[in-house]
């Protein structure tokens, strides 16, 4: 076994790296991302032949060159026997040579080997942990985690939990579900792959599909510096390679139980009761200091059952591996007092996953691999009302959370042809479909009632008048996303060069995605302003509430639409072994992106985007004991399908304000008196069709980032490896929307620019929002109202009123110390010092959970960006990580994992300036609180500390095939908040009672009992 987690775990020493030349191929298809194979190479007597034979039936022979070097590339993962042959006879052999995905394992032979040695072959073996721990052929930055490590370490059973082992990787904000951030980048800027095919969320690029835990052979976590072969990520890459059948049948099963009696609880939360600045008051003063969220009694349990089988259908020719995993969780979770409904959710989650792989070795020169994957996330439940005044449950009253089911199915095929010893062709084609189903038994056509606690107390029953509708939004029936794609690579090896080239294409299509308002198509939102004489939304003509300040807002939100994206790329890369010790990698990649709206009209066409990559590795002493490496690269990021939602396609997002004199039993206000001109929309979203040529800058540049890395790896004697790496990342272009285009009073920035050019703004159709590059000059084309053509003009940073452009910079220093597995124990410690700062997090906005990709409220107008420069949401100054395992005896093993990181930066978003102004009618959204500017990161969340431990027992009486274990997560029971409510006010001078309340918390201590049997 070779359980180790280091950047490319095997060594390439004094190798002649191949030269490859690729042919360009036509077609649409898929990003086939990271490598799924490994390589073996080394030195032997010139004129000899090297034969490799794998447990998967693959056999290849290559001649040793006149320089005494050989290389066998594109080998499926597995264990290999490497034979040195002379005159058709095996004269030396190495056994149990394991491969690490994307890396090269060195196997060299003594030049004196001859037929005289042949009789002693059985005694000559090499195991994976005997291989050198530094790969001097690597210029990228990545961590590889093997199946052996996954079986030992206490980890969450998903790709993201594994990725958190890598330096510089942190969990994303809880709003976005199970996501991670790499090196300060946004959580939507990563890519996921299984067996070389893109499995990233096809709609928003938030997360991705992973394998059943027991089906993972190896997982790569790329944190930077990857080659021109791969793109469409400026964050990181999570690539899983699934297991395959071998020439021996293996079966196994596992059961895991996380009992509720072994799970700690979060403590109750209380509303803040702070002394507020003069002139400010709480929305509901009577709530200050009272119970905000009841946690007593909330608990859950999880049961996971998995099984696998793998082996030969035809020995050496046809192999099968299948795996299934079902995870079921049940529990209770009580909503906050201010969340409708004020109830306890009794939930059930089911997460079944299935995986099957068929490998056909047609002959020694041709291999076909077929993969099928199905993964589902099914959630439902019901509510029992919770009486916060008396802290008791009053029973089920007909309300339900949404029942959802997201199912993804993937079919992947790969063909590899070893055309000659020096020429290899591979092609991968894949298809997928993801369906989104959402229903709610309580949606009986009544409107959702938001903030019932703000109902006018003068009305009988106010504060609790609601109905069976418990959610605000629904997905249209038949919603789904599809992908299909093709990747083709040709590798040609000659002399000291290996040049690789090919195409990397992908197509995304989404149907009926987006949301609509539940019930009759509108919600009712109750509110109260502390100063009833102040206008609620003066910029949109909404007047004061008057009276005691109580009002109701009817909200409508509909964004359902269809759209598609084309992503095409081709690349060329040369790996040149300039000397025995120095490797130079030079590559170029061209990405092209096209986004289509619901009418199949292009609204973004990136054109050619050239991304150069260059890297170097220096084997300082020529013995793989010290490597110095570095690379420079540019990485382009495509816009996912969801950008068309509320952008290139029509959307309806309106609010209408009223006072009221009564409330009916279902919570709807009665006796309505309008406070404004009717339905109003901050971004002019009135359901009108959008002109795709108008809503996007005609010269829009894709988001891209430049990256520089320099580092070293050094062996410390025979047992330890240490290293350091410095990473610098700079965002060069971002994409967002700006909505300060046209105002009723003619002060919109596009209106003013047209006026300055002598053009009547009323002569053209100005969109409510346009997509642009913040801080750059962009060209726009607006349709003339009279149909005579279009008006072209340029908007500069100054025209929009912005003082600066988009900025995101990251620097990080990673240090590590590792003890590779020696048959008894392994361990690794990482420390990262880093800073991520600027005014643009990326495509999402973590402090308010906004997942409108590249259409966040940032950059909507100049006022909202005032004092926005600071620490970004994914900044963590200090990160300590450690993990490892120790085999106490053949029967007993202990393992653990530790993370200790600085807290996330805090934000405070309120009304603007000392007068609590609302210059763009966005409410509590400015970087200003209590009349003072507040830059992100002026304060931080508390440090995050997590220690997980495990003990496993493999009794000798069961031949060590049975394993019983216990894993305890967060053994010190840390229960710190990970994210707070950063919205300061509900209305002008009216502080939200929930400001500063914890929204997402560290999971309290829990235990997992495991039983595994392999045979």
């Amino acid at each position: 076994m070779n359980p180790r987690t280091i950047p490319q775990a095997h060594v390439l020493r004094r190798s002649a790296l191949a030269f490859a030349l690729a042919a360009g191929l036509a077609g649409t298809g898929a990003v086939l991302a990271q490598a799924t194979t490994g390589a073996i190479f080394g030195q032997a007597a010139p004129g000899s032949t090297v034969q490799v034979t794998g447990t998967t039936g693959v056999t290849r022979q290559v001649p040793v060159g006149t320089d005494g070097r050989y290389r066998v590339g594109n080998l499926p993962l597995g264990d290999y026997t490497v034979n040195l042959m002379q005159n058709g006879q095996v004269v030396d052999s190495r056994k149990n040579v394991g491969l690490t995905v994307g890396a090269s394992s060195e196997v060299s032979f003594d030049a004196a080997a001859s037929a005289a040695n042949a009789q002693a072959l059985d005694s000559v073996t090499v195991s994976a942990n005997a291989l050198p721990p530094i790969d001097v052929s690597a210029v990228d930055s990545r961590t590889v985690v093997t199946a052996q490590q996954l079986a030992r370490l206490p980890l969450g059973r998903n790709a993201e939990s594994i990725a958190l082992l890598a330096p510089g990787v942190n969990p994303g904000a809880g709003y976005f579900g199970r996501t991670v951030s790499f090196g300060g980048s946004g959580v939507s800027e990563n890519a996921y792959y299984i067996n070389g095919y893109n499995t990233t969320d096809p709609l928003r690029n938030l997360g991705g599909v992973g394998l059943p835990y027991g089906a993972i052979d190896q997982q790569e976590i790329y944190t930077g510096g990857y080659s021109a072969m791969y793109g469409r990520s400026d964050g990181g890459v999570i690539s899983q390679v699934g297991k395959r059948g071998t020439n021996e049948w293996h079966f196994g099963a596992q059961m895991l139980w996380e009992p509720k009696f072994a799970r700690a609880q979060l403590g109750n939360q209380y509303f803040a009761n702070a002394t507020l600045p003069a002139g400010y008051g709480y929305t509901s003063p009577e709530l200050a200091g009272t119970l905000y969220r009841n946690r007593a009694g909330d608990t859950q349990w999880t049961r996971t059952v998995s099984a696998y089988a793998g082996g030969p259908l035809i020995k050496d020719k046809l192999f099968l591996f299948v795996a299934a995993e079902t995870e079921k969780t049940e529990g209770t979770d009580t909503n906050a007092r201010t969340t409708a409904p004020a109830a306890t959710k009794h939930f059930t989650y089911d997460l079944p996953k299935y995986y099957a792989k068929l490998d056909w070795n047609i002959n020694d020169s041709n291999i076909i691999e077929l993969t099928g994957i199905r993964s589902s996330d099914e959630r439902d439940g019901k509510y029992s009302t919770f009486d916060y005044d008396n802290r008791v449950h009053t029973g089920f009253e007909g309300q339900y959370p949404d029942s959802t089911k997201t199912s993804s199915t993937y079919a992947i095929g790969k063909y590899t042809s070893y055309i000659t010893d020096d020429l290899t062709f591979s092609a991968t084609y894949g298809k997928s479909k993801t369906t989104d189903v959402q229903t709610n038994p309580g949606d009986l056509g009544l409107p959702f009632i938001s903030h019932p606690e703000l109902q006018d107390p003068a009305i009988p029953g106010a504060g609790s008048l609601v109905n069976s509708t418990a959610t605000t939004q629904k997905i249209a029936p038949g919603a789904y996303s599809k992908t299909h794609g093709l990747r083709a690579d040709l590798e040609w090896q000659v002399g000291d060069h290996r040049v690789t080239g090919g195409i990397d294409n992908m197509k995304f299509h989404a149907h009926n995605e987006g949301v609509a308002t539940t019930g009759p198509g509108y919600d009712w939102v109750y509110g109260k302003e502390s100063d009833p004489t102040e206008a609620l939304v003066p910029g949109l003509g909404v007047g004061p509430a008057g009276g005691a300040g109580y009002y109701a807002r009817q909200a409508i939100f509909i964004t359902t639409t269809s759209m598609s994206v084309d992503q095409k790329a081709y690349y060329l890369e040369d790996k040149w072994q300039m000397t025995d010790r120095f490797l130079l990698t030079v590559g170029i990649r061209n990405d092209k992106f096209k986004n289509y709206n619901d009418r199949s009209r292009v609204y973004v066409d990136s054109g050619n985007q050239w991304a150069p990559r260059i890297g170097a590795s220096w084997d300082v002493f020529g013995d793989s004991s010290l490597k110095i490496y570095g690379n420079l690269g540019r990485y382009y990021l495509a816009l996912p399908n969801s950008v068309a939602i509320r952008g290139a396609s029509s959307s309806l997002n309106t609010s209408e304000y009223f006072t009221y004199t009564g409330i009916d039993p279902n919570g709807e206000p009665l006796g309505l008196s309008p406070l404004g001109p009717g339905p109003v929309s901050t971004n002019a979203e009135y359901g009108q069709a959008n002109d795709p040529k108008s809503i996007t800058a005609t010269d829009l540049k894709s988001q891209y980032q430049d990256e520089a890395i320099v580092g070293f790896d050094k062996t410390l004697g025979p047992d330890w490896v240490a290293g350091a790496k410095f990473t610098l990342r700079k965002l060069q272009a971002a994409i967002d929307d700006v909505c300060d285009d046209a105002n009723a009073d003619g002060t919109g920035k596009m209106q003013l620019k047209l006026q300055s050019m002598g053009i009547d703004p009323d002569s053209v159709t100005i969109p409510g929002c346009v997509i642009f590059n913040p801080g750059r000059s962009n060209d726009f084309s607006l349709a003339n109202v009279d149909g005579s053509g279009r008006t072209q003009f340029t908007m500069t940073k100054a025209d929009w009123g912005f003082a600066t452009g988009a900025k995101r910079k990251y620097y990080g220093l990673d240090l590590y110390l590792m003890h590779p597995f020696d048959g008894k124990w392994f361990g690794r410690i990482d420390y990262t010092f880093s800073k991520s700062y600027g005014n643009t997090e990326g495509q999402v906005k973590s402090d308010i959970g906004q997942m409108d990709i590249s259409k966040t409220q940032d950059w909507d107008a100049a006022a909202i960006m005032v004092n926005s420069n600071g620490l970004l949401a994914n900044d963590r100054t200090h990160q300590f990580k450690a993990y490892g395992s120790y085999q106490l005896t053949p029967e007993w093993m202990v393992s653990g994992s530790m993370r200790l990181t600085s807290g996330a930066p805090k934000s405070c978003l309120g009304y603007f300036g000392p007068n609590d102004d609302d210059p763009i009618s966005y409410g509590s959204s400015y970087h200003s609180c209590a009349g003072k500017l507040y830059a992100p990161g002026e304060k931080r969340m508390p440090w995050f500390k997590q220690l997980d431990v495990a003990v496993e027992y493999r009794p000798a009486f069961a031949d060590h095939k049975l394993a019983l274990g216990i894993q305890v997560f967060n053994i010190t029971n840390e229960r710190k908040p990970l994210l707070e409510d950063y919205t300061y006010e509900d209305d002008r001078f009216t502080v939200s009672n929930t400001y500063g309340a914890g929204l997402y918390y560290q999971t309290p201590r829990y235990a997992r009992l495991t039983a595994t049997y392999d045979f």
Side-chain angles (χ1 to χ4, degrees):
M1 292 180 291
N2 179 32
R4 60 173 80 152
T5 307
I6 60 174
Q8 297 208 48
H10 298 305
V11 175
L12 174 60
R13 185 169 57 208
R14 299 187 182 88
S15 68
L17 287 187
F19 189 90
L21 179 62
L25 302 176
T28 59
V31 170
L32 270 275
Q34 310 318 109
T36 61
T37 60
I40 296 174
F41 67 95
Q43 293 180 316
S48 302
T49 298
V50 173
Q51 179 193 65
V52 299
T53 302
T55 54
T56 57
V58 173
T59 298
R60 289 190 62 199
Q61 291 186 179
V62 297
V64 179
T66 57
D67 57 359
R69 299 170 180 166
Y70 77 92
R71 182 180 184 276
V72 188
N74 291 291
L75 292 171
L77 297 185
D79 291 331
Y80 285 82
T81 296
V82 185
N83 296 322
L84 179 66
M85 304 179 67
Q86 293 178 359
N87 301 319
Q89 186 176 8
V90 176
V91 297
D92 204 351
S93 182
R94 302 290 187 268
K95 298 180 180 180
N96 302 324
V97 177
L99 298 186
T100 297
V101 61
S104 300
S105 298
E106 183 191 3
V107 179
S108 293
F109 296 91
D110 188 338
S114 68
N117 304 103
Q119 67 272 15
L121 293 181
D122 289 342
S123 63
V124 182
T125 63
V126 61
S127 60
N129 61 320
L131 297 172
I134 296 176
D135 183 353
V136 296
S137 71
V139 298
D140 55 27
S141 298
R142 66 187 184 117
T143 297
V144 177
V145 184
T146 66
Q148 292 85 355
Q149 289 173 305
L150 295 179
R152 288 183 170 93
L153 294 172
L155 296 172
R157 295 172 63 85
N158 52 73
E160 293 80 10
S161 294
I162 301 170
L164 290 174
L165 295 175
V169 182
N170 291 295
Y175 290 115
F176 306 123
R178 199 173 59 229
T179 56
V180 288
S181 167
F182 288 74
S185 295
V187 295
S188 66
E189 299 169 28
N190 308 320
Y192 287 67
Y193 299 92
I194 294 178
N195 288 353
Y197 189 78
N198 191 325
T199 61
T200 315
D201 165 31
L203 183 62
R204 292 186 175 86
N205 222 63
L206 288 168
V209 170
L211 289 169
Y213 198 72
I216 302 170
D217 190 338
Q218 297 183 24
Q219 176 170 316
E220 296 176 284
I221 306 115
Y222 279 81
T223 54
Y226 39 94
S227 81
M229 296 175 68
Y230 313 117
R232 301 165 194 161
S233 163
D234 66 5
V237 174
I238 295 175
S239 179
Q240 293 183 339
V241 179
K243 293 179 178 177
R244 62 178 67 209
T246 66
N247 267 325
E248 293 184 6
W249 278 101
H250 292 277
F251 308 87
Q254 184 178 50
M255 178 173 286
L256 301 92
W257 182 36
E258 297 171 9
K260 60 183 179 182
F261 68 75
R263 178 178 289 266
Q265 297 179 355
L266 285 170
N268 287 343
Q269 294 175 250
Y270 292 82
F271 288 104
N273 190 15
T275 301
L276 301 179
Y280 289 82
Y282 279 118
T283 302
S284 300
E286 70 280 3
L287 293 180
T290 65
L291 181 63
Y292 164 62
R293 187 171 186 179
N294 182 78
R295 298 282 192 174
D298 286 351
T299 188
Q300 71 176 52
W301 62 265
T302 299
R303 182 200 65 222
T304 304
V305 179
S306 63
Y308 73 89
L313 299 177
I314 303 175
K315 188 175 181 180
D316 290 332
K317 285 291 184 181
L318 192 62
F319 305 88
L320 175 68
F321 186 91
V322 294
E325 175 182 286
T326 62
E327 179 181 315
K328 184 182 183 69
T329 299
E330 292 186 5
T332 57
D333 184 29
T334 304
N335 288 340
R337 184 167 189 164
T338 54
T339 301
T344 295
K345 178 170 65 175
H346 302 260
F347 61 84
T348 300
Y349 299 158
D350 287 293
L351 286 81
K353 294 181 179 180
Y354 308 95
Y355 168 78
K357 190 167 192 296
L358 193 67
D359 293 272
W360 180 22
N361 300 334
I362 302 172
N363 52 43
D364 288 348
S365 299
N366 298 279
I367 300 173
I368 289 179
E369 305 171 44
L370 300 176
T371 301
I373 304 164
R374 181 170 176 82
S375 178
S376 296
D377 187 328
E378 306 169 25
R379 301 172 181 246
D380 58 23
K382 66 178 184 179
Y383 285 116
S384 60
T385 303
F386 186 76
D387 181 350
Y388 265 93
D389 291 329
N390 299 301
R391 301 193 186 186
V392 295
H393 290 95
T394 58
F396 173 65
E397 296 186 12
Q399 290 188 317
Y400 300 84
D402 286 333
S403 294
T404 62
K405 182 178 181 179
T406 302
S407 296
S408 299
T409 303
Y410 287 83
I412 307 165
K414 181 179 181 181
Y415 170 66
T416 303
S417 178
Y418 307 109
I419 300 171
T420 71
D421 291 339
D422 300 323
L423 192 65
T424 302
F425 171 77
S426 65
T428 308
Y429 179 79
K431 298 180 69 174
S432 78
K433 183 176 182 179
T434 299
T435 57
D436 295 318
V437 177
Q438 178 180 312
T439 59
N440 194 300
D443 187 356
L444 303 178
L446 297 171
F448 177 80
I449 306 301
S450 181
H451 287 293
E453 78 280 3
L454 298 181
Q455 294 169 347
D456 188 346
I459 298 172
S464 61
L465 295 173
V466 295
N467 56 65
S468 63
T469 302
T471 56
T472 63
Q473 297 175 356
K474 59 187 177 184
I475 298 174
Y480 66 81
S481 293
K482 289 184 175 181
T483 73
H484 69 269
L486 172 70
R487 180 186 181 100
D489 305 280
L490 191 66
E491 178 185 290
W492 185 23
Q493 175 180 317
V494 61
D496 292 330
H497 295 265
R498 185 170 81 247
V499 176
T500 308
I503 63 167
D504 178 7
N505 298 331
M506 189 142 193
K507 175 78 171 183
F508 299 84
H509 173 75
H511 176 72
N512 271 1
E513 294 286 9
V515 297
T517 307
T518 53
Y522 59 82
D523 301 332
W524 282 108
V525 183
Y526 287 95
K528 178 183 181 296
E529 187 165 5
S530 57
D531 186 349
T533 65
E534 292 285 347
L536 293 176
V537 192
L540 297 177
V542 180
Y550 291 96
Y551 65 91
R553 173 169 63 92
Q554 186 184 74
I556 301 174
F557 188 62
I558 302 173
T559 66
T560 303
T561 189
S562 299
M563 53 266 168
S564 61
V565 180
D566 264 334
Q567 299 178 4
K568 297 183 178 181
Y570 54 88
Y571 74 93
L572 186 66
E573 181 177 77
D574 179 14
K575 290 189 174 183
W576 178 20
Q577 191 74 40
M578 299 178 66
T579 70
D580 284 352
R581 300 184 183 185
F582 193 81
L583 168 70
L584 180 66
T585 300
V586 179
I588 188 74
R589 179 183 177 91
N590 185 18
D591 278 298
K592 296 181 180 180
F593 308 140
K594 280 188 179 181
N595 292 67
Y596 300 82
N597 69 358
D598 56 334
R599 300 183 181 184
S600 298
R601 299 176 64 184
V602 176
Y603 67 94
V604 172
D605 186 349
S606 71
N608 293 318
Q609 300 176 125
W610 295 98
R613 315 275 174 84
I614 183 171
S617 174
W618 179 26
D619 182 3
V620 178
F621 301 119
D623 60 359
S624 301
S625 64
L626 173 60
K627 179 184 78 170
I628 298 176
Y629 65 98
N631 57 68
L632 295 169
R634 174 163 291 181
Y635 303 88
Y636 283 94
L637 190 66
L639 287 172
N641 253 327
S642 64
V643 176
I645 301 173
R646 297 188 69 192
S649 301
S650 61
S651 59
L652 182 63
N653 183 18
T654 62
S655 294
E656 188 168 8
Y657 294 78
F658 302 90
T659 58
Y660 55 94
T661 58
I663 304 174
D664 75 10
N666 291 318
E668 291 200 64
L670 303 172
L672 301 177
S673 297
L675 292 173
V680 296
S681 177
T682 301
N683 298 145
E685 296 174 83
Y686 294 102
Q688 71 276 18
N690 287 331
D691 175 8
K693 294 182 179 180
S694 297
I695 60 98
T696 306
T698 59
D699 58 346
L700 186 75
K701 293 184 180 296
S702 295
Q703 179 171 319
Y704 72 95
Q705 180 171 268
D706 288 338
E707 178 186 79
I709 296 175
V710 62
F712 76 88
D713 298 303
K714 179 71 175 71
T715 58
L716 303 177
D719 299 324
W720 294 88
V721 183
K725 178 187 68 174
F726 179 77
T727 301
L728 179 65
R729 289 177 159 187
K730 183 178 181 181
L731 187 68
Q732 300 289 14
I735 295 178
D736 215 304
D737 64 342
V738 57
C739 300
D740 195 10
D741 307 343
N743 298 326
D745 59 3
T747 59
K749 297 303 187 290
M750 278 191 169
Q751 293 170 313
L752 295 176
K753 181 59 181 279
L754 291 168
Q755 289 174 0
S756 71
M757 298 169 61
I759 300 172
D760 181 4
D762 294 333
S763 68
V764 297
T765 300
I766 303 177
C769 299
V770 293
I771 298 173
F772 79 133
N773 296 125
R776 291 176 175 263
S777 294
N778 279 132
D779 298 329
F780 293 90
S781 175
L782 304 184
N784 295 332
V785 173
D786 61 9
S788 61
R790 308 186 70 85
T791 297
Q792 322 287 336
F793 62 102
T794 299
M795 293 291 293
T796 67
K797 177 178 67 177
D799 291 333
W800 292 116
F802 295 118
T804 63
K807 183 173 74 171
R808 184 181 77 192
K809 293 182 179 180
Y810 170 87
Y811 62 79
L813 175 64
D814 298 311
L815 308 174
Y816 80 89
L817 177 66
M818 185 190 68
H819 184 283
F821 187 66
D822 61 1
K824 194 173 186 67
W825 75 284
F826 84 94
R828 176 165 175 145
I829 301 173
D830 288 277
Y831 167 69
T832 301
F833 173 80
S834 64
K835 184 177 182 180
S836 180
Y837 59 100
N839 57 20
T840 299
E841 176 186 348
Q843 296 180 325
V844 299
K845 188 171 176 62
S846 291
D847 49 8
I848 60 171
Q850 190 173 10
M851 61 180 72
D852 293 320
I853 305 297
S854 289
K855 301 189 308 297
T856 68
Q857 69 180 31
D858 287 346
W859 301 103
D860 281 6
I864 210 163
M865 296 307 293
V866 173
N867 209 46
S868 62
N869 193 62
L871 297 178
L872 297 176
N874 296 307
D875 174 77
R876 305 291 188 274
T877 304
H878 303 285
Q879 303 170 50
F880 297 88
K881 298 182 180 183
Y883 56 94
S885 67
Y886 193 93
Q887 195 76 45
L888 295 170
T889 72
E891 294 184 326
W892 290 94
M893 182 189 68
V894 295
S895 62
S897 175
M898 182 273 290
R899 283 191 293 134
L900 175 64
T901 68
S902 303
K906 288 187 177 184
S907 290
C908 188
L909 302 173
Y911 282 74
F912 189 79
N915 297 319
D916 251 22
D917 295 323
D918 190 4
I920 60 171
S921 303
Y922 269 39
S924 188
S925 299
Y926 308 91
H927 294 278
S928 173
C929 286
K932 298 179 181 179
L933 294 178
Y934 189 107
E938 288 188 13
K939 295 181 180 179
R940 283 188 178 271
M941 298 296 293
W943 277 63
F944 174 90
K945 293 172 282 186
Q946 176 98 11
L947 176 61
D948 308 325
V949 298
V951 178
E952 183 184 81
Y953 172 56
R954 288 184 175 268
F957 67 77
D959 196 24
H960 304 296
K961 294 178 180 179
L962 171 67
L964 303 174
I966 181 170
Q967 301 173 349
V968 182
F969 297 86
N970 189 11
I971 194 169
T972 59
N973 201 25
E974 299 288 330
R975 294 174 292 178
K976 302 289 179 60
L978 304 178
L979 186 69
E980 294 179 349
D981 184 350
Y982 297 133
T983 301
Y984 185 66
E985 294 167 280
D986 289 328
D987 284 300
R988 298 179 64 195
F989 301 102
T990 308
V991 178
S992 170
N993 287 92
T994 63
Y995 168 69
L999 299 177
Y1000 296 92
Y1001 280 76
Q1002 186 174 357
T1003 303
R1005 181 179 56 240
Y1006 68 99
R1008 176 191 295 161
L1009 306 177
T1010 66
T1012 303
Y1013 195 81
D1014 300 282
F1015 54 97

